[in-house]
Amino acid sequence: MKFIPTDLPGVLLIEPTVFEDPRGFFFEVHHAGKFAEAGIEAAFVQDNHSASQRNTLRGLHAQRTRPQGKMVRVLAGTIFDVAVDIQPDSEHFGRWVGYELSAENRRQLYIPEGFAHGFAVTSERAEVEYKCTALYDPSDEIAIAWNDADIGIDWPVSEPTLSPRDAGAPTLAEIKPNLVSV
């Protein structure tokens, strides 16, 4: 298992060691000891699974006072996965990183607490599974505009399919007074 640092502290791209033979393949998705050695000592308490069509964009989402760390992977298809630092006192506030995750490359992205998360589907269909370090609380959730010009994410889709909530989400500057650092 390879843990690759990104331009945002704490956000890690994870490439598994895959063992393939005529029967198929095997790899470790999670290994608490290896994760801890890489600085991920998170306890995951909830797993989520979504399926989406091409050009669907989900996000940017976070929880304000009960932040969730997330471990994201793709079971089918391909996505462009994004993390945005939303900690108001961070020197990286408003910066983002994005990576292609697919069933084929088997990469995972670890997004710690204090970051918003979103993804765009670039294949015909994608199934995404992600582990969370805190339980989902709809009353604590915030959404940030996917196309916030101050963040400037270079999404691979120009006219995404959005939920009504995501289509009307405020900018990061508009919600900054309500954010807390972790």
Side-chain angles (χ1 to χ4, degrees):
M1 199 174 284
K2 212 158 100 175
F3 296 87
I4 303 164
T6 69
D7 289 339
L8 293 177
V11 178
L12 296 172
L13 187 62
I14 302 162
E15 291 183 347
T17 302
V18 181
F19 301 94
E20 294 188 68
D21 64 28
R23 299 170 296 165
F25 67 85
F26 169 86
F27 66 93
E28 292 176 336
V29 174
H30 180 261
H31 184 292
K34 292 176 184 177
F35 277 40
E37 287 176 20
I40 303 171
E41 296 188 21
F44 297 104
V45 298
Q46 180 176 328
D47 285 9
N48 299 321
H49 186 141
S50 70
S52 305
Q53 304 304 315
R54 180 185 296 278
N55 295 327
T56 295
L57 195 150
R58 294 181 183 265
L60 301 162
H61 301 150
Q63 291 192 168
R64 194 176 74 74
T65 62
R66 295 175 201 81
Q68 295 176 308
K70 295 179 180 177
M71 179 69 69
V72 184
R73 73 187 193 113
V74 175
L75 303 176
T78 305
I79 66 170
F80 182 68
D81 202 43
V82 171
V84 179
D85 187 336
I86 61 166
Q87 299 172 91
D89 59 353
S90 168
E91 66 183 81
H92 303 286
F93 179 77
R95 288 190 46 206
W96 66 277
V97 293
Y99 296 93
E100 181 179 273
L101 304 182
S102 70
E104 186 175 298
N105 70 24
R106 301 179 183 115
R107 289 174 158 179
Q108 296 183 85
L109 190 64
Y110 176 67
I111 304 165
E113 297 173 352
F115 290 78
H117 172 248
F119 65 86
V121 177
T122 57
S123 57
E124 284 304 311
R125 185 173 191 280
E127 290 193 34
V128 176
E129 181 180 74
Y130 57 99
K131 296 179 164 304
C132 300
T133 61
L135 297 175
Y136 173 67
D137 179 356
S139 68
D140 197 43
E141 187 173 38
I142 56 173
I144 301 163
W146 69 277
N147 58 351
D148 184 329
D150 289 338
I151 299 172
I153 298 170
D154 187 17
W155 292 105
V157 297
S158 56
E159 295 182 32
T161 302
L162 303 165
S163 70
R165 181 189 61 169
D166 289 344
T171 66
L172 184 55
E174 291 172 316
I175 66 166
K176 185 177 180 180
N178 299 317
L179 296 174
V180 295
S181 286
V182 291

